[in-house]
């Protein structure tokens, strides 16, 4: 069983569209995250959810909205996509002071 | 918030040599310091971690050292092999706070 799974793996879409990326973890972790990895490979935190409560919301545009229906799922919805949103988005989960497990990543390309 | 600086950004070594990657952190309350390896096109995966109650930890060819006073920690890889070539990230966190990553080091091991 995959510990952290996210779908889709690749997403190509036009500017202005709305898209969602789904993430599920079966590790029983309390905290889930979304990271953005740009072309320079920098991993930047976007959102963090602990027991379904948003605990960090970094300075990302409000076009990005995380949704957590339960503590095993954290989806990312993006409105009005822009060229600069092209990146790899990683979902991850962890418990306090322990290893974060990453999903396989979603490569988003906005054209 | 936490700030993690990582150096060098690229590191080229010959097979069999040692490699050292250094990180500094800003928040003296941080107490968990993992290192992740990311191969091309793959997800980041934990290779070793250290908590603030120890100064050094070793796992076969990989070791991590932590200096809490100076707020820096380092990754040491001995007897490097071509398959060690990847991007390495250091990170820091405390409690349930999000992992803050360094900007990564691209390690190239030449046969």
């Amino acid at each position: 069983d995959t510990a952290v799974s996210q779908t889709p793996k690749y997403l190509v879409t036009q500017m202005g569209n709305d898209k969602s990326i789904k993430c599920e973890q079966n590790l029983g972790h309390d905290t889930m995250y979304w990271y953005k990895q740009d072309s320079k490979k920098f991993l930047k935190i976007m959102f963090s959810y602990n027991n379904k409560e948003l605990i960090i919301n970094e300075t990302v545009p409000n076009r990005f909205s995380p949704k957590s229906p339960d503590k095993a799922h954290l989806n990312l919805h993006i409105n009005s996509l822009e060229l600069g949103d092209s990146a790899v988005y990683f979902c991850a989960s962890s418990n306090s002071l322990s290893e974060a497990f990453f999903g396989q990543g979603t490569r988003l390309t906005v054209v | 918030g936490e700030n993690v600086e990582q150096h060098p950004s690229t590191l080229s070594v010959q097979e069999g040599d040692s490699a050292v990657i250094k990180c500094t952190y800003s928040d003296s309350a941080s107490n968990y310091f993992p290192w992740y390896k990311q191969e091309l096109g793959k997800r980041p995966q934990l290779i070793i971690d250290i908590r603030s109650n120890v100064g050094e930890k070793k796992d076969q060819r990989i070791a991590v050292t932590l200096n809490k006073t100076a707020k820096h920690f380092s990754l040491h890889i001995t007897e490097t092999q071509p398959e060690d070539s990847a991007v390495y990230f250091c990170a820091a966190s405390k409690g349930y706070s999000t992992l803050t990553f360094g900007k990564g080091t691209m390690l190239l091991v030449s046969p």
Side-chain angles (χ1 to χ4, degrees):
Chain A
D1 274 350
T2 303
V4 182
S5 60
Q6 60 182 104
T7 55
K9 188 174 181 179
Y10 300 98
L11 184 54
V12 180
T13 188
Q14 291 186 325
M15 279 194 301
N17 283 350
D18 302 339
K19 291 293 179 185
S20 293
I21 307 172
K22 295 185 176 181
C23 180
E24 176 182 4
Q25 56 98 1
N26 62 7
L27 299 167
H29 287 163
D30 291 329
T31 308
M32 295 185 71
Y33 316 89
W34 278 107
Y35 285 89
K36 178 180 180 180
Q37 187 169 46
D38 60 24
S39 59
K40 294 184 179 179
K41 303 299 183 183
F42 182 38
L43 277 166
K44 183 173 174 60
I45 183 67
M46 299 178 71
F47 301 104
S48 175
Y49 259 74
N50 178 257
N51 281 324
K52 297 175 58 180
E53 297 296 324
L54 178 66
I55 59 173
I56 290 180
N57 181 353
E58 295 294 309
T59 54
V60 299
N62 58 14
R63 298 181 293 104
F64 291 80
S65 55
K67 288 183 171 51
S68 181
D70 54 61
K71 78 170 193 176
H73 296 83
L74 181 63
N75 303 323
L76 183 65
H77 189 74
I78 315 169
N79 289 328
S80 303
L81 278 155
E82 300 177 357
L83 292 176
D85 297 333
S86 296
V88 179
Y89 292 83
F90 283 100
C91 175
S93 73
S94 75
N95 282 333
S96 174
L97 296 184
S98 66
E99 176 182 0
F101 288 83
F102 285 80
Q104 66 181 353
T106 296
R107 182 173 294 277
L108 172 65
T109 303
V110 182
V111 297
Chain B
E2 175 69 277
N3 183 48
V4 177
E5 299 285 339
Q6 182 173 347
H7 299 280
S9 56
T10 59
L11 179 58
S12 294
V13 299
Q14 291 290 122
E15 184 176 1
D17 287 350
S18 294
V20 180
I21 303 170
K22 297 182 179 182
C23 288
T24 61
Y25 60 99
S26 61
D27 189 345
S28 57
S30 288
N31 52 6
Y32 176 62
F33 307 93
W35 286 87
Y36 286 81
K37 176 184 180 182
Q38 186 179 25
E39 297 176 350
L40 188 64
K42 301 285 182 66
R43 72 190 79 191
Q45 291 192 293
L46 182 80
I47 54 171
I48 195 167
D49 57 11
I50 192 167
R51 289 173 172 78
S52 60
N53 57 344
V54 298
E56 185 174 358
K57 184 176 178 180
K58 190 173 181 180
D59 183 4
Q60 299 183 344
R61 298 186 297 110
I62 294 173
V64 58
T65 59
L66 171 64
N67 184 326
K68 287 179 60 182
T69 303
K71 290 189 286 188
H72 67 70
F73 55 114
S74 301
L75 178 71
H76 304 253
I77 306 174
T78 58
E79 301 172 24
T80 54
Q81 301 166 3
E83 51 266 37
D84 293 332
S85 296
V87 178
Y88 291 80
F89 293 94
C90 63
S93 74
K94 59 182 179 182
Y96 274 105
S97 71
T98 302
L99 282 172
T100 299
F101 284 88
K103 291 191 174 183
T105 297
M106 180 172 289
L107 174 64
L108 300 172
V109 181
S110 303

